[in-house]
Amino acid sequence: MRGAAMSLTAAARGFVFFLLSVPVIQGQDDWGVTYTSTQICALRGSTVEMPCTYRYPSTMSHQTTEVVKRFWFTKGSNKAPVDLKTDSDYTGRVEYHCDEKSCILSISDLRERDSVEYKFKFITNHDGFTGSPGVTLSVTVPDLQVQVTRSWTQGELRCHSSCNVPDNPSYVWFNNGQKMDGETSSSLRVSVEDNNSYSCAVTGYEDYRSPPVYGPKLPSVSVSPSAEIVEGSSVTLTCSSDANPAAKYTWYKENVHFKPLSEGPQLVFSSIQSSDSGQYYCTAENELGTKMSQYKFIDVKYAPKVVLLSLTPTGDIRENSRVTLTCSSDANPAATYTWYKNGKPLNKNAQIVFSSIQSSDSGQYYCKAENKLGRRTSRSISIDVKYAPKLPSVSVSPSAEIVEGSSVTLTCSSDANPAANYTWYKENEDSPKASGQIFTITDFRAEHSGNYYCEAQNRRGRQNSTLHLIVVADTSTITLITNSIRLTLVGVGGLIPLLLCCRWMRKKKALSSTTEPDEPKETVEFDSCPEYEDISETAAQTEDPEEQEDLV
Ligand SMILES: *[C@@H]1O[C@H](CO)[C@@H](O)[C@H](O)[C@H]1NC(C)=O
Ligand SMILES: *[C@@H]1O[C@H](CO)[C@@H](O)[C@H](O)[C@H]1NC(C)=O
């Protein structure tokens, strides 16, 4: 008698794996064959046992039924089967252990070609019966997988076969290829992050090990496209790490460590921006550990963005001061710059430095920033060099002669920025005679004779013109305009030396006079003591083209 317990023991010994343990009953009425399992996995070289029970009517036609033959077969039809014991493919490997109700087929030293359907047939004195369909056997080498689950810092490894294992056979575990002593259970506890690899095998089948399981290896990052990354293009970063079980990936950007950018092996930028430049890394994680990749620098190139101009110092630009114009732009690669003045290229530096700026440097400036991806122009900036009035020039009208009682107009002009205002003075009078660019003396009288000059002033400074002598004679008409040796002389011959002398006279007079602005008396005395050298020296100092133009 061989019972279920015995067959299980046998199964354990031979590593028989039952895929289906629901008994299947064939036949009907009182005839039938029941296979314990109809799908059986068994390891190559092992011994498999296929139990079945069978039944039949105890009597038929008042005659006791007797079993005359019991056997298993794979070949031949149900009507003409070939008893496995006589099949040369199974010579010496087949045993039946049968009694009145059951019959166990045992095949030892299994080969792959034994993977066929096995049926049991019994023949009685009345009739025969075949249990069909039979038992499908598949003979394999161990096909093991280590299943990993994790709880906190521990990983639980379980050696799993594609064939179901009802009984725990003996296992062998390997750590980095080395057999681990004393580990014979189907499961194994390990520490997470121990960087070891584990595999399992069934005792006796050490050559048929599971693939090893291990934590992720250092992940590598690749960038596609591998060429230069231009803003607006599509870029994909791919993380890959050798790991078993397969790793799960997470993407991060440097300095944003706790906020994952995305999960999955790929980080995709459909339209990458300059702000996406930076260091990226990924982590690969499975149940046995986590590894972080090295940083991958993403350098996004872009055409110049806003172009900025700066002007230092701020405020008024004073003549002769140091002024710096700087052009800057956000661009990658760095931009090159071109400065333009009044629309014409000026130079190719980012900076223009005027160490001593002149009024001729005034104008509209802008710059252009450029790299291989594009260009951009700045706004325009106006440079307006401010300066104090230059030496004012005075023109007198009429220039020819001044007849007593006529009017005289003096016009002062000075190059200045901002434009100057003007004040008129008469020599030796403290109070100004008038203000404004044009000074008119109507009804010119002898007492108006004298030296006039104007002062040009703006907020940068002021400057007095040279003296202009305006004289009217009582009887003859004499117009004198001297800020130099130039004179116009009407009516009196031989006057030039005397006029030249008048400067000296006035000097003398100034010492004794306390003249009020409108006080009449200012006579011109002519003396015979000319100071030619003095006068010509004055002329040389003050002569200037504008004045000549006015006076000629
Ligand atoms: C001329 O300009 C200066 C500086 O801007 C100012 O202080 C002054 O009052 C002005 N004089 C006249 C007469 O407008
Ligand atoms: C110009 O003359 C006026 C009047 O004499 C005087 O107050 C002023 O300081 C002079 N200005 C300059 C720049 O010399």
Side-chain angles (χ1 to χ4, degrees):
M1 286 281 289
R2 296 180 71 91
M6 283 187 72
S7 78
L8 282 176
T9 311
R13 193 176 59 235
F15 306 117
V16 178
F17 304 101
F18 297 89
L19 285 185
L20 252 174
S21 55
V22 181
V24 180
I25 301 165
Q26 281 105 17
Q28 54 191 1
D29 306 325
D30 298 330
W31 295 85
V33 171
T34 303
Y35 298 110
T36 307
S37 179
T38 56
Q39 302 272 344
I40 297 180
C41 279
L43 296 182
R44 188 172 74 189
S46 71
T47 298
V48 69
E49 296 198 338
M50 300 180 210
C52 78
T53 58
Y54 60 97
R55 63 189 188 284
Y56 47 89
S58 53
T59 58
M60 280 183 80
S61 312
H62 310 291
Q63 218 181 347
T64 305
T65 309
E66 283 175 23
V67 176
V68 295
K69 192 166 169 56
R70 295 170 290 217
F71 61 97
W72 292 74
F73 68 95
T74 63
K75 295 171 188 153
S77 66
N78 289 355
K79 291 230 156 32
V82 179
D83 185 344
L84 217 50
K85 285 222 160 179
T86 65
D87 187 333
S88 59
D89 286 346
Y90 293 86
T91 306
R93 300 196 291 130
V94 171
E95 281 179 39
Y96 301 151
H97 302 287
C98 302
D99 58 22
E100 288 306 310
K101 296 284 182 208
S102 71
C103 190
I104 299 172
L105 165 64
S106 167
I107 310 171
S108 60
D109 191 18
L110 286 169
R111 291 115 202 237
E112 261 98 348
R113 65 168 187 271
D114 296 341
S115 302
V116 290
E117 183 184 8
Y118 294 82
K119 295 178 194 168
F120 174 69
K121 183 177 175 85
F122 64 95
I123 300 168
T124 68
N125 49 350
H126 299 300
D127 206 350
F129 188 86
T130 303
S132 185
V135 177
T136 302
L137 173 68
S138 64
V139 178
T140 66
V141 293
D143 180 19
L144 302 172
Q145 297 288 334
V146 177
Q147 293 178 334
V148 188
T149 51
R150 176 174 176 175
S151 64
W152 297 101
T153 57
Q154 285 220 308
E156 169 137 356
L157 312 184
R158 202 168 69 80
C159 196
H160 175 81
S161 168
S162 55
C163 291
N164 217 1
V165 183
D167 278 330
N168 279 342
S170 177
Y171 289 90
V172 185
W173 286 93
F174 300 88
N175 179 343
N176 295 329
Q178 298 297 310
K179 187 176 172 185
M180 297 171 77
D181 288 336
E183 298 290 353
T184 57
S185 139
S186 64
S187 65
L188 177 70
R189 283 185 172 277
V190 299
S191 298
V192 165
E193 305 288 2
D194 68 2
N195 291 322
N196 294 328
S197 78
Y198 297 94
S199 59
C200 66
V202 171
T203 304
Y205 296 87
E206 282 83 351
D207 287 346
Y208 300 101
R209 295 181 197 180
S210 72
V213 293
Y214 45 90
K217 312 271 190 223
L218 182 71
S220 68
V221 173
S222 64
V223 183
S224 168
S226 58
E228 190 172 84
I229 296 171
V230 176
E231 192 170 42
S233 64
S234 161
V235 175
T236 302
L237 304 184
T238 304
C239 186
S240 61
S241 166
D242 179 16
N244 190 19
K248 285 186 292 198
Y249 299 97
T250 311
W251 281 98
Y252 297 88
K253 190 173 184 182
E254 189 191 20
N255 301 329
V256 210
H257 299 295
F258 302 109
K259 202 171 149 229
L261 293 171
S262 79
E263 312 244 315
Q266 293 196 322
L267 176 61
V268 177
F269 299 93
S270 54
S271 172
I272 199 162
Q273 297 304 302
S274 56
S275 57
D276 293 325
S277 283
Q279 303 271 18
Y280 289 84
Y281 67 93
C282 62
T283 58
E285 177 177 14
N286 71 5
E287 290 79 355
L288 294 175
T290 305
K291 282 274 189 317
M292 177 185 143
S293 74
Q294 294 183 324
Y295 285 120
K296 189 81 183 182
F297 182 62
I298 301 295
D299 184 23
V300 181
K301 309 284 189 189
Y302 50 94
K305 296 186 188 288
V306 191
V307 185
L308 296 174
L309 290 190
S310 75
L311 173 62
T312 52
T314 51
D316 267 7
I317 298 170
R318 303 179 188 193
E319 194 175 34
N320 300 322
S321 66
R322 182 186 177 87
V323 171
T324 306
L325 275 172
T326 307
C327 187
S328 62
S329 167
D330 180 15
N332 187 8
T336 57
Y337 300 96
T338 311
W339 275 100
Y340 292 82
K341 180 188 177 186
N342 297 331
K344 290 180 185 153
L346 193 64
N347 78 24
K348 288 243 172 226
N349 301 325
Q351 268 197 341
I352 300 183
V353 178
F354 300 99
S355 53
S356 173
I357 199 164
Q358 299 303 306
S359 59
S360 58
D361 295 321
S362 289
Q364 292 288 324
Y365 289 79
Y366 66 88
C367 81
K368 196 178 273 180
E370 187 170 11
N371 68 11
K372 63 184 174 186
L373 296 172
R375 60 176 60 184
R376 193 178 279 265
T377 302
S378 73
R379 71 184 170 88
S380 162
I381 198 168
S382 175
I383 293 220
D384 186 20
V385 180
K386 308 290 190 198
Y387 48 96
K390 310 280 187 203
L391 182 67
S393 66
V394 173
S395 64
V396 182
S397 172
S399 60
E401 56 195 55
I402 298 175
V403 180
E404 187 165 20
S406 68
S407 74
V408 179
T409 299
L410 295 92
T411 305
C412 185
S413 54
S414 166
D415 179 17
N417 188 11
N421 61 30
Y422 298 94
T423 313
W424 290 94
Y425 294 93
K426 189 175 181 192
E427 193 184 26
N428 298 327
E429 291 181 16
D430 287 341
S431 307
K433 303 294 290 179
S435 65
Q437 193 166 12
I438 296 166
F439 172 34
T440 303
I441 309 171
T442 53
D443 191 14
F444 197 90
R445 303 257 159 232
E447 63 264 32
H448 291 134
S449 296
N451 275 308
Y452 290 87
Y453 61 95
C454 67
E455 182 188 55
Q457 180 180 13
N458 66 11
R459 63 173 185 266
R460 296 258 60 88
R462 52 190 189 164
Q463 178 105 262
N464 286 342
S465 73
T466 51
L467 300 174
H468 289 254
L469 176 62
I470 302 174
V471 177
V472 63
D474 291 329
T475 50
S476 19
T477 304
I478 305 165
T479 303
L480 300 169
I481 302 161
T482 70
N483 70 338
S484 65
I485 56 169
R486 291 175 180 279
L487 318 163
T488 306
L489 192 63
V490 181
V492 182
L495 198 57
I496 290 173
L498 297 174
L499 287 172
L500 291 174
C501 208
C502 73
R503 274 186 80 82
W504 176 80
M505 288 296 296
R506 281 185 284 103
K507 278 182 188 163
K508 218 172 84 175
K509 195 168 181 283
L511 294 172
S512 56
S513 169
T514 53
T515 337
E516 290 301 304
D518 278 328
E519 198 187 337
K521 262 301 38 82
E522 195 178 52
T523 50
V524 178
E525 292 176 61
F526 295 125
D527 204 310
S528 58
C529 47
E531 287 184 283
Y532 298 105
E533 288 175 90
D534 180 27
I535 298 295
S536 56
E537 195 183 313
T538 307
Q541 282 171 351
T542 57
E543 208 163 313
D544 109 18
E546 260 185 58
E547 287 182 4
Q548 283 182 18
E549 198 181 292
D550 286 341
L551 295 167
V552 165

